[in-house]
Amino acid sequence: MPGPHPVEGSVGVSGMSTCLEGLKEAHGRPWPKELIALGPEESAQQMVLRRIQELSDSDQQDPFMLADLDMLASRHQAFCQALPQVSPFYAVKCNSSPWVLRVLAALGTGFDCASQVELEQVLGLGVAPSRIIYANPCKPASHIRYAARHGVQLLTFNSEEELTKVAQHHPGARLLLRLRTQDSQSTFPLSTKFGASLEACGHLLTSARDLGLAVVGASFHVGSNCQTPQSFTQAIADCRCVFEMGRGAGHDMSCLDIGGGFPGTEDSGPKFEEMARVISAALAQDFPEERGVKVIAEPGRFYMESVCTAAVNIIAKKAVLEPGGSQKLMYYLNDGHYGSFRLGHREPVPRVPIVVKVRGPLQPQESSPLP
Ligand SMILES: Cc1ncc(COP(=O)(O)O)c(C=O)c1O
């Protein structure tokens, strides 16, 4: 998911929920210029339209992105209400805009970081290292050393090679073994790249013990925008097996990380509440609360997808003749696959733009959604 283009005056909008009021006081006055407060009765959508108007009147055509910070706070609330037994560790890779991270830090989320840059960003906000998981099972040695120096202890792994690296550079780490999942129905599968098979876990757990490393639990990711909530049920059951194997190998297994995969919108696919019910049932079955296992998650899309609005301009168009003689219009935007829409080619989800400002009357063939 894209991060906002840091265009002056257009990174965040807020109608000032209580949490954001607190942040404002902590930050001092006046508001930084990249934060825009909504006017009375103004919606974030209206603000986007106003901003487009203002910028185009001043001959400013660059694309920009707005994040509705109140909506972000609501998404956090929705997550905590539906899954009160799960602590969210926001996946920074999803959108690392400083104000997004500041708001989430103020709301008390944890953070899932995938690299040293992300660790630096989150630690730089004063977030305690205990609220961070370095959740990339394939890490450069120098980034592992950085995590060790800065007290970030919770790390994931899925191979023997990674264990060797961690033993050398971060022997005090607390490790989560990342499991492969059935994620073929997800919009963005991850398990071909990351995750150990259940069969490989026994050996990895004894290798970790022999290297003097502490494995404290298991993690998985069912693939982003998961279409089958039952994937969580299976993965949680598999983690229970890993916990048993881990205890057998002498590890103190106390943390389960259920990753991301939650829907960003309610447009299509399973609803979040339904998914949360399936997850809660699986947790109650395999990790009942009285066992005292801490459960965390790494939501990204769920927090950000409906929070951000990208505003782009059509900067050129071209008529092309198709082989059968019909004419097709091609539109060129000033943001695309190399920018905010860089995941577009991996996610076969049609993006339907909302046309907000038209120069001159629309031609009939121009009124249809852009490809
Ligand atoms: C390790 C990890 N955690 C969390 C996420 C966020 O997933 P989602 O956006 O589906 O919540 C990703 C996404 O790629 C990921 O790779």
Side-chain angles (χ1 to χ4, degrees):
M1 209 154 307
H5 281 267
V7 175
E8 209 181 331
S10 59
V11 170
V13 291
S14 165
M16 312 276 193
S17 68
T18 317
C19 139
L20 299 181
E21 275 293 3
L23 252 187
K24 181 180 175 185
E25 263 147 41
H27 196 269
R29 287 159 203 269
W31 276 106
K33 62 181 180 299
E34 71 273 17
L35 272 190
I36 309 162
L38 296 178
E41 308 294 317
E42 188 177 37
S43 71
Q45 187 78 34
Q46 287 164 331
M47 156 57 89
V48 174
L49 302 185
R50 174 155 68 86
R51 195 74 191 144
I52 289 171
Q53 192 69 50
E54 280 167 13
L55 289 173
S56 58
D57 287 350
S58 66
D59 204 27
Q60 157 70 270
Q61 292 198 326
D62 288 343
F64 62 90
M65 188 172 283
L66 278 117
D68 180 344
L69 300 177
D70 271 344
M71 170 90 80
L72 180 58
S74 308
R75 297 299 281 172
H76 173 63
Q77 203 178 17
F79 190 93
C80 296
Q81 257 166 19
L83 288 169
Q85 69 283 51
V86 180
S87 307
F89 279 52
Y90 169 71
V92 174
K93 65 172 74 65
C94 190
N95 185 319
S96 57
S97 158
W99 277 99
V100 166
L101 299 184
R102 267 184 210 128
V103 168
L104 291 173
L107 289 167
T109 68
F111 293 90
D112 148 22
C113 297
S115 65
Q116 179 171 332
V117 171
E118 292 183 4
L119 290 170
E120 284 169 2
Q121 245 192 310
V122 174
L123 288 166
L125 295 176
V127 172
S130 58
R131 278 169 61 193
I132 298 175
I133 176 169
Y134 186 0
N136 187 338
C138 304
K139 302 169 277 299
S142 61
H143 294 199
I144 297 175
R145 285 195 296 273
Y146 178 87
R149 278 200 307 280
H150 291 84
V152 176
Q153 285 197 305
L154 204 54
L155 271 55
T156 60
F157 78 103
N158 62 193
S159 69
E160 191 118 22
E161 290 75 7
E162 196 69 9
L163 282 177
T164 313
K165 253 189 288 173
V166 175
Q168 189 180 352
H169 302 289
H170 196 344
R174 299 169 64 242
L175 294 169
L176 299 184
L177 172 48
R178 177 151 165 188
L179 267 184
R180 190 176 294 167
T181 60
Q182 169 47 260
D183 62 357
S184 57
Q185 299 304 308
S186 300
T187 309
F188 200 138
L190 293 160
S191 281
T192 36
K193 193 168 167 190
F194 298 120
S197 67
L198 201 50
E199 297 75 54
C201 288
H203 178 66
L204 288 171
L205 288 160
T206 48
S207 295
R209 181 198 58 205
D210 295 346
L211 285 163
L213 291 169
V215 179
V216 298
S219 77
F220 63 83
H221 195 302
V222 292
S224 201
N225 203 22
C226 174
Q227 299 298 302
T228 49
Q230 294 69 25
S231 302
F232 279 96
T233 312
Q234 183 59 52
I236 289 170
D238 288 349
C239 284
R240 179 183 172 163
C241 296
V242 176
F243 269 58
E244 281 159 17
M245 284 188 241
R247 287 185 182 128
H251 295 291
D252 181 12
M253 305 293 276
S254 56
C255 181
L256 170 69
D257 176 1
I258 63 169
F262 315 97
T265 62
E266 299 286 286
D267 296 345
S268 63
K271 305 271 175 276
F272 175 62
E273 280 68 25
E274 178 198 339
M275 193 174 266
R277 269 194 297 279
V278 172
I279 293 170
S280 296
L283 289 175
Q285 163 90 19
D286 292 314
F287 292 91
E289 270 180 48
E290 59 273 16
R291 301 256 169 92
V293 170
K294 179 179 165 70
V295 185
I296 67 173
E298 301 166 2
R301 180 190 297 267
F302 176 83
Y303 272 68
M304 288 313 299
E305 188 161 337
S306 48
V307 163
C308 287
T309 306
V312 301
N313 273 300
I314 295 174
I315 45 156
K317 72 178 178 188
K318 175 171 92 171
V320 256
L321 272 185
E322 298 276 82
S326 61
Q327 185 176 285
K328 183 170 97 175
L329 274 176
M330 286 174 65
Y331 299 92
Y332 295 77
L333 308 178
N334 54 359
D335 195 0
H337 280 178
Y338 297 104
S340 303
F341 301 95
R342 63 185 169 274
L343 285 187
H345 61 289
R346 284 204 56 176
E347 298 201 354
V349 182
R351 308 276 165 192
V352 183
I354 306 165
V355 179
V356 291
K357 187 161 187 258
V358 180
R359 285 180 203 278
L362 274 179
Q363 309 278 316
Q365 66 270 50
E366 288 179 284
S367 58
S368 57
L370 300 179

